[in-house]
Amino acid sequence: MTTLRLPSPGGGSRAYTPRSEPAAFVVAGSEGGAALASRRVFSAAHVVADPYADISPDEPAAVDWDATLAFRRHLWSHGLGVAEAMDTAQRGMGLDWAGAAELIRRSAAEAKSVGGMIACGVGTDQLAPGPHSLDEVRAAYEEQLTLVEETGSQAILMASRALAAAATTPDDYLDLYAHLLRQASEPVVLHWLGPMFDPALDGYWGSADLDAATETFLQVISEHPDKVDGIKISLLDAQREIELRRRLPKGVRCYTGDDFNYPELIAGDEQGFSHALLGIFDPLGPLAATAVRVLDTGDTKGFRELLDPTVELSRHLFRTPTRFYKTGVVFLAWLAGHQDHFTMVGGLQSARSLPHLARAYELADGIGLFPDPAVAAARMKSLLDVGGVEQ
């Protein structure tokens, strides 16, 4: 394998020799697509842009549907569920509601054809920028909830920028979510996305004080436990998630969305554990599925030995500004051969620096994430050539 010269964040470059073989993420006696038993695990999946579309970043996204659906089949083949049209799919960052609605319809149909588990994001992003009344926010949620339920998918009630802007008290959240939960035909997942992922969500649940916000969030759940399948917490605060999940009503799941601390949260403790709904499980799909199958046997130590080495990569991809983690996710999908290009909707491939991407490549290659390390190295070299890094 040819040595690459990778750019360093402080300037200059360093030599890196790619590994020659991928890691073998296989558990003896297991089948690749067998359902995971001990944890309910979703990967929030990215969309693949159409690289031939002659559009600008502020025009509606052009999606390569064949490649996008093929990636979902890849995740389902390993026994993972797909969390569709979430922020990993660039909702509100290149993918508008019309594109998200088409994604939901197509992915739901594909899930039915292969028997894959799917849940889809319900938000309010069809609303135009600017202020909106609470009634308008509620109607937007209702429109999206209706579409998701019509496809037969489970609904994930996403945090809404419009609601964060319109609500003035915790009661505004309590009333609106109560209305939506009464309308839902099946139990939903409630999503609490922190401002590190989307600054417009600061103060969600009616307070910038996380303790106060937590009480409102728990009140929503306690008043409608039969309509809440679970909660997805994306606050990057492991102890807060642990304390919150211990207070959930019986039967309500906690899905970790903590891309910094997921191994310990999924492994759990003597008082419980978290299921998973994670953006990092997009690039980690096969490895994550293998690790959970080890956990299915009761081998927590083996689970941690597989998953702990991935945390450095995840923390790198999700470092501030965290909302740009999607660039690293798509970059790794390109290197892994899941798509033929490194182009993103909204031109977001430019959101991370070349040194950042080079470090992501180095970390992913180091844990054996690429099915063909030679292909990944060749693609990395092509990006370095374009970036002017002498080899």
Side-chain angles (χ1 to χ4, degrees):
M1 188 72 72
T2 303
T3 297
L4 298 175
R5 295 208 65 81
L6 303 179
S8 299
S13 62
R14 64 192 186 280
Y16 177 73
T17 302
R19 64 185 295 153
S20 57
E21 297 291 337
F25 305 123
V26 177
V27 179
S30 72
E31 297 181 4
L36 307 179
S38 62
R39 303 291 187 272
R40 190 173 170 91
V41 181
F42 289 93
S43 165
H46 74 279
V47 294
V48 183
D50 178 357
Y52 295 103
D54 185 14
I55 57 174
S56 64
D58 58 356
E59 293 181 283
V63 176
D64 181 337
W65 293 113
D66 289 342
T68 294
L69 295 176
F71 187 76
R72 281 136 182 80
R73 292 194 296 272
H74 155 72
L75 295 172
W76 285 318
S77 75
H78 289 281
L80 300 170
V82 168
E84 189 55 275
M86 304 292 290
D87 58 285
T88 306
Q90 295 178 243
R91 289 284 294 268
M93 292 185 71
L95 190 69
D96 61 12
W97 168 237
E102 183 67 11
L103 178 63
I104 290 167
R105 293 187 191 97
R106 288 176 181 255
S107 290
E110 197 73 18
K112 288 179 182 178
S113 72
V114 302
M117 182 169 64
I118 188 169
C120 299
V122 170
T124 63
D125 48 331
Q126 71 270 52
L127 294 173
H132 296 277
S133 69
L134 289 170
D135 285 343
E136 289 172 326
V137 173
R138 183 180 64 194
Y141 263 127
E142 289 174 337
E143 177 188 356
Q144 295 199 16
L145 178 61
T146 297
L147 184 144
V148 167
E149 291 193 331
E150 284 176 348
T151 69
S153 302
Q154 184 178 23
I156 302 170
L157 293 186
M158 301 169 67
S160 162
R161 294 174 181 174
L163 177 55
T168 57
T169 68
D171 284 342
D172 289 336
Y173 289 88
L174 292 171
D175 291 345
L176 191 145
Y177 274 90
H179 177 86
L180 294 174
L181 290 173
R182 286 193 297 268
Q183 290 222 345
S185 60
E186 300 291 339
V188 308
V189 176
L190 298 180
H191 186 191
W192 185 357
L193 190 69
M196 67 289 294
F197 288 93
D198 187 343
L201 298 177
D202 192 27
Y204 211 75
W205 304 112
S207 178
D209 181 319
L210 289 179
D211 290 336
T214 296
E215 295 306 316
T216 302
F217 186 49
L218 285 169
Q219 186 176 342
V220 171
I221 300 162
S222 66
E223 292 177 355
H224 309 274
D226 59 321
K227 285 296 188 75
V228 181
D229 163 76
I231 61 170
K232 171 175 159 43
I233 304 298
S234 300
L235 298 176
L236 304 183
D237 184 335
Q239 189 56 41
R240 181 171 294 279
E241 177 175 322
I242 291 169
E243 293 171 357
L244 199 158
R245 80 184 182 201
R246 289 175 179 171
R247 297 178 62 188
L248 292 175
K250 184 177 180 180
V252 176
R253 299 180 177 95
C254 179
Y255 294 91
T256 187
D258 187 334
D259 299 278
F260 282 9
N261 306 292
Y262 50 94
E264 64 187 87
L265 291 165
I266 297 170
D269 54 30
E270 67 282 354
Q271 296 186 55
F273 56 82
S274 295
H275 299 269
L277 199 166
L278 288 161
I280 192 57
F281 280 6
D282 178 302
L284 295 184
L287 191 161
T290 297
V292 174
R293 288 197 176 87
V294 171
L295 190 59
D296 288 346
T297 70
D299 183 1
T300 302
K301 180 174 181 290
F303 166 80
R304 295 294 299 268
E305 287 175 348
L306 277 169
L307 214 53
D308 282 359
T310 69
V311 171
E312 185 178 4
L313 170 64
S314 187
R315 291 190 175 202
H316 177 72
L317 295 181
F318 284 79
R319 78 180 193 185
T320 55
T322 303
R323 63 188 182 278
F324 294 131
Y325 77 88
K326 307 163 188 66
T327 301
V329 166
V330 175
F331 171 65
L332 294 182
W334 172 55
L335 295 183
H338 294 298
Q339 54 194 77
D340 296 330
H341 58 86
F342 180 37
T343 304
M344 298 177 66
V345 300
L348 209 63
Q349 67 271 12
S350 64
R352 292 293 201 188
S353 70
L354 188 57
H356 176 91
L357 297 175
R359 181 59 177 158
Y361 161 72
E362 185 178 13
L363 291 170
D365 184 66
I367 59 177
L369 207 59
F370 302 125
D372 190 332
V375 168
R379 292 185 171 187
M380 186 69 232
K381 182 179 182 302
S382 70
L383 186 65
L384 294 170
D385 289 341
V386 171
V389 180
E390 293 186 6
Q391 298 299 303

